[in-house]
Amino acid sequence: MSQGKIERVKSKDITIGGIPIPVYMGSDGEYRWSMRQASKAVGFNEGWLSDTLRTEGNALNRLKGYGFKEDIVEFQGQGFIEGNLISTEDFMAMIMYAAVVGRREQAVALMAAALYETLERRADRAFGIIRDEDEYIQKFEFRYASILLNKGLRSAIGEWIEENQASLQEYTRQYSIKGGQRGIYASALGKIYQHLFGMQKKSINEVLDVKSYETPKSNVHVTQLQSIAQIEDLAKYIRRKGMNPLEAINAAAEALMIEVEEPRLGDRITRQDVYRVLGAKQELGAIKSNEQ
């Protein structure tokens, strides 16, 4: 284990998966993460990593298999001890372990949301699209929440199907649903889109001008993504009262007083727009210099 002390650091609080996590930057520019908060972020209790290191059992060996190097330093804050700080590489190894071995939904959602953001950033750069950083942050958080809620919605629909086998054929006939369990879930998501946008997936993607096979949840503005997550969350709990999936979606939309609005992409500007603004500034600067 690589362990020492670090005293001169800068710190900022950021939110990852709804959990405020302090990130520390040492004098060498390296980032460090709170061991306790990292444990919580991946779905364990805050003492999990500390206990895993102390017991030195199979969990630690498997954690090392995902690249955990025990690169740990102790941080003495102003009048308090924050505790041990881990490297970004070790934090990443914890997420991998928690997702694959621990099967923690939080870790799976973190991986999925982070990968999506990375791919989106690379694509944005390739096409010269510049987004506001706050939009990336909000999208990450809402996508993380949506992934968790989506898993919960699928699970709840699965439970409802198991408990209502006798009336399932009547339900699918009544609402003209095809495709078995997958079709029942798709119809529920389609109903959410209908409440929010007054249209189905194909029409939404046409308005957004994205590929027909893409999911609207990956493209709509963050505030609209939040509304989708809210309906999914509320519908999941309402259904426990005996409602079928579509009844639950309708009740959730009514409880949230959802009003239909046109789907919209997140705000963005192109690289050409930036160049145009910079050029205008340079021209203005030249004019002012000539006037002087």
Side-chain angles (χ1 to χ4, degrees), residues 5-290:
K5 289 187 177 182
I6 184 172
E7 296 179 358
R8 297 182 60 185
V9 298
K10 296 179 181 179
S11 66
K12 295 285 185 179
D13 286 339
I14 62 176
T15 301
I16 299 180
I19 298 177
I21 297 181
V23 55
Y24 300 86
M25 184 175 70
S27 56
D28 58 357
E30 182 183 21
Y31 294 125
R32 291 277 172 174
W33 308 84
S34 164
M35 180 187 293
R36 297 198 303 268
Q37 295 301 98
S39 295
K40 290 173 62 177
V42 299
F44 295 118
N45 64 66
E46 65 177 21
W48 176 80
L49 182 55
S50 178
D51 292 340
T52 299
L53 292 170
R54 185 177 63 255
T55 55
E56 298 184 347
N58 185 54
L60 180 58
N61 290 330
R62 299 193 70 175
L63 184 59
K64 289 180 178 179
Y66 287 98
F68 189 80
K69 294 182 169 55
E70 295 187 71
D71 184 4
I72 301 169
V73 297
E74 183 181 288
F75 172 54
Q76 173 70 57
Q78 295 181 347
F80 68 95
I81 297 178
E82 163 61 33
N84 291 331
L85 305 181
I86 60 173
S87 66
T88 298
E89 186 175 5
D90 280 355
F91 191 3
M92 184 176 66
M94 287 176 62
I95 296 173
M96 292 286 292
Y97 173 91
V100 179
V101 180
R103 297 183 180 277
R104 301 288 167 156
E105 291 186 353
Q106 295 94 324
V108 174
L110 278 178
M111 288 180 63
L115 179 59
Y116 191 99
E117 179 182 330
T118 298
L119 294 174
E120 189 174 56
R121 283 181 181 271
R122 294 290 295 272
D124 283 348
R125 180 174 176 81
F127 284 98
I129 293 174
I130 299 175
R131 301 178 194 252
D132 184 85
E133 280 298 315
D134 285 340
E135 182 184 352
Y136 281 119
I137 294 171
Q138 291 177 51
K139 265 197 168 184
F140 178 95
E141 290 303 312
F142 289 139
R143 188 170 289 117
Y144 169 87
S146 182
I147 291 168
L148 286 181
L149 294 173
N150 184 275
K151 289 171 70 69
L153 185 62
R154 285 181 180 274
S155 176
I157 289 177
E159 292 172 7
W160 180 86
I161 290 174
E162 289 297 321
E163 296 169 1
N164 293 272
Q165 288 293 321
S167 59
L168 203 58
Q169 187 173 357
E170 173 60 24
Y171 174 78
T172 55
R173 185 195 64 77
Q174 178 183 353
Y175 295 104
S176 302
I177 297 173
K178 298 179 180 179
Q181 181 170 338
R182 183 176 180 179
I184 292 174
Y185 173 76
S187 68
L189 190 55
K191 178 61 70 174
I192 292 176
Y193 292 152
Q194 192 70 42
H195 278 295
L196 284 171
F197 308 120
M199 60 185 76
Q200 295 296 331
K201 174 184 173 181
K202 180 180 179 181
S203 298
I204 295 171
N205 285 350
E206 288 176 355
V207 173
L208 298 177
D209 192 24
V210 298
K211 300 294 185 182
S212 60
Y213 58 80
E214 292 188 31
T215 171
K217 291 170 68 173
S218 297
N219 293 290
V220 296
H221 191 274
V222 290
T223 57
Q224 295 180 331
L225 182 59
Q226 182 183 33
S227 296
I228 294 173
Q230 287 176 330
I231 294 179
E232 288 182 348
D233 188 34
L234 192 54
K236 179 181 64 177
Y237 290 104
I238 290 176
R239 190 159 49 258
R240 291 179 182 175
K241 297 181 180 181
M243 295 180 176
N244 67 47
L246 294 182
E247 287 176 338
I249 297 296
N250 291 336
E254 182 178 354
L256 292 168
M257 295 185 289
I258 295 295
E259 295 184 1
V260 174
E261 58 181 288
E262 184 169 315
R264 53 195 172 89
L265 289 167
D267 297 330
R268 61 181 71 182
I269 58 175
T270 65
R271 186 171 299 163
Q272 287 69 31
D273 292 328
V274 174
Y275 290 153
R276 189 158 46 249
V277 172
L278 291 176
K281 285 185 176 181
Q282 289 176 351
E283 290 179 6
L284 180 59
I287 292 173
K288 288 183 177 180
S289 295
N290 292 333

